[in-house]
Amino acid sequence: MDSFSPIPALLGGALIGLASALLWLGNGRIAGISGIFGQLLPPARTVVWRLVFLGALVLGTLVAAWLFPGLGVGGPGGKPAALVSAPANWGIPTPVWLVIAGLLTGFGTKIGNGCTSGHGVCGIARLSLRSFVAVGIFFSVAIITVAVTGVAA
Amino acid sequence: MSPTTRLPYLATAALSGLLFGAGLYVSQMVDPLKVLRFLDFGAIPRGGWDPSLAFVIVAAIGVMFVAVRIGGKRTAPAFDTTFHEPEFKRIDAPLVTGAVLFGIGWGMSGICPGPAISLIAFWPPDLLIFLLALFAGSYAGVLIIPSGRDRRLAVA
């Protein structure tokens, strides 16, 4: 339990909730990152606000890392950000492992119309049955995947 | 002039993005290893499980739940003419299949789309190929599954 951090988790979660609330009440848009990201692709709809949102998301991360160094990854005093290494016993090079994960994540969130933010935060808050189903499935499958691959070890 | 290019609309998108990115950093969900320590339920009996992610999502849902109730009393958001409710209502095969495939990808990497973008701030090794794969996977989804309007008409 040494890494358990309930207070930053609650504060950070509230910020994510506030961001989602603002986009919904201001612009009537779901703050679903896979949707905002995916709809930059052809047939692209309105691109400008999506690019502004995603650029600001990166900037917000940088500013928070500068204001609160050492809280998360990166920034002065923080841990260097790192992606996972492929589990050794699978015999798959890490870049290939990450490409497979990225393809599955991009394809899955596109055809399933949402990810952790769109279904997980906004959909559950809207009491959407589709989102409850999606969240139940992707959390369960992710937990099984971690158990099977041993990637967290 | 489309409502989506007016300044208050874009400022709202920018402020929302800033808060979202800050939230991902403060909650440490930008760290793939932190996310994996939540998904690693095998660690519960060993005492090394990290339940932080559950606290993040419950807090976020709590705030958004109130916002959705406030929005429900209004006919339109502040800077557009309508709330853009998702078009689909049915539990269908693409939803279930998509959630399964995303679950596998997320479990392999500990990176969901929000943190994938947020991580650009730190640009760790291999992030670029992950982002390119994410983009390619999403585009494959566009090609295979008809876009929203077409699919809704196809279902109707």
Side-chain angles (χ1 to χ4, degrees), chain B residues 54-150:
Chain B
F55 284 64
V56 178
I57 200 157
V58 166
I61 290 169
V63 175
M64 186 58 186
F65 187 84
V66 174
V68 170
R69 297 297 153 314
I70 294 170
K73 294 191 175 76
R74 300 178 181 195
T75 53
F79 306 120
D80 200 352
T81 51
T82 180
F83 287 103
H84 296 267
E85 299 269 356
E87 295 165 335
F88 311 120
K89 305 291 176 205
R90 303 196 333 176
I91 312 295
D92 54 7
L95 177 79
V96 172
T97 312
V100 169
L101 297 177
F102 167 45
I104 297 171
W106 191 31
M108 287 175 72
S109 67
I111 310 171
C112 52
I117 306 296
S118 186
L119 273 169
I120 292 172
F122 307 119
W123 204 247
D126 292 333
L127 181 66
L128 179 61
I129 56 164
F130 182 87
L131 287 172
L132 290 174
L134 187 69
F135 218 65
S138 190
Y139 193 56
V142 174
L143 296 178
I144 286 169
I145 299 286
S147 69
R149 193 171 298 277
D150 297 343

Side-chain angles (χ1 to χ4, degrees), chain A residues 24-97:
Chain A
W24 183 245
L25 293 176
N27 297 358
R29 286 289 175 180
I30 299 284
I33 311 300
S34 63
I36 292 173
F37 175 79
Q39 287 187 23
L40 294 176
L41 295 160
R45 301 183 195 180
T46 44
V47 168
V48 176
W49 78 263
R50 293 188 165 93
L51 285 176
V52 166
F53 177 90
L54 294 174
L57 194 151
V58 176
L59 187 63
T61 307
L62 273 173
V63 169
W66 179 71
L67 289 174
F68 312 109
L71 192 58
V73 299
K79 301 170 284 179
L83 307 196
V84 296
S85 301
N89 54 347
W90 282 64
I92 299 174
T94 291
V96 177
W97 181 269

